[in-house]
Amino acid sequence: DSGVTQTPKHLITATGQRVTLRCSPRSGDLSVYWYQQSLDQGLQFLIQYYNGEERAKGNILERFSAQQFPDLHSELNLSSLELGDSALYFCASSVGTGTGGNTIYFGEGSWLTVV
Amino acid sequence: GQQLNQSPQSMFIQEGEDVSMNCTSSSIFNTWLWYKQDPGEGPVLLIALYKAGELTSNGRLTAQFGITRKDSFLNISASIPSDVGIYFCAGQLTGNQFYFGTGTSLTVIP
């Protein structure tokens, strides 16, 4: 158990819909990262938050957005869903901004299936 | 974005054999991490490396942070069936992002 909690574990929704994925980081971790992993693909970095502020942005679509709340949990919002958005979405957390000596720990992921 | 070249892409080995995989980059990293991912689960941290030249072991696993800071390797000795999975390297620049390799799929034949 990494200490990173993600909900829901599985989600099936229709095209055009909107979903929210939730992540609670490890106790004491201030940074939250979101990654997307499609079938047989590597981990694609989406976005990172540190202590409530956006710190880095990767290949995140405009239809996707995220935020980190004062209690440090984070949500990833996916809207106008398309079939190609079906993937495993991971949240990860680390202690700091990632400026060295940091390690990130992953949650178990949220399986999103768009039908 | 940054590219981490991880090789080999896949490996099929006999139980008991040793395994070696590596990651290279055109950029200098200040942290190298190695993860194992089982199907449908999140990556699990195996080894973290923070200094150039550092050699760290975790049971049958050994990883090294390359002297040039542009590469890292992971060795698994005396492989067993439960070593099956996908192994990812990750590197961190001075900054915020961690960049991941494309993964090495390991199959261990009993």
Side-chain angles (χ1 to χ4, degrees), chain B residues 8-91:
Chain B
Q9 190 173 4
S10 62
M11 301 181 76
F12 294 81
I13 61 167
Q14 291 287 140
E15 182 177 357
E17 289 184 356
D18 296 344
V19 172
S20 185
M21 60 190 78
N22 69 82
C23 271
T24 60
S25 170
S26 57
S27 299
I28 292 174
F29 286 102
N30 62 20
T31 299
W32 282 97
L33 308 172
W34 284 93
Y35 292 85
K36 177 176 184 272
Q37 185 179 24
D38 292 326
E41 299 189 9
V44 174
L45 181 69
L46 299 173
I47 292 179
L49 302 160
Y50 302 119
K51 285 168 49 176
E54 181 180 353
L55 184 72
T56 297
S57 293
N58 177 7
R60 293 177 297 104
L61 279 61
T62 302
Q64 185 159 28
F65 194 140
I67 288 291
T68 65
R69 296 170 63 193
K70 293 183 178 182
D71 61 348
S72 178
F73 72 75
L74 175 71
N75 286 341
I76 305 173
S77 63
S79 59
I80 59 178
S82 63
D83 291 333
V84 165
I86 300 178
Y87 292 79
F88 288 100
C89 63

Side-chain angles (χ1 to χ4, degrees), chain A residues 19-70:
Chain A
V19 299
T20 297
L21 309 181
R22 195 178 191 278
C23 170
S24 293
R26 293 189 323 151
S27 177
D29 284 359
L30 299 178
S31 268
V32 169
Y33 307 77
W34 286 98
Y35 289 86
Q36 180 192 56
Q37 187 177 41
S38 302
L39 196 63
D40 296 331
Q41 296 279 319
L43 291 155
Q44 299 295 317
F45 170 70
L46 296 178
I47 198 163
Q48 182 214 354
Y49 280 82
Y50 173 74
N51 205 18
E53 293 189 4
E54 182 184 306
R55 273 306 173 95
K57 215 167 189 174
N59 300 320
I60 187 167
L61 300 173
E62 284 193 15
R63 300 184 285 109
F64 296 178
S65 65
Q67 54 183 326
Q68 186 179 27
F69 295 87

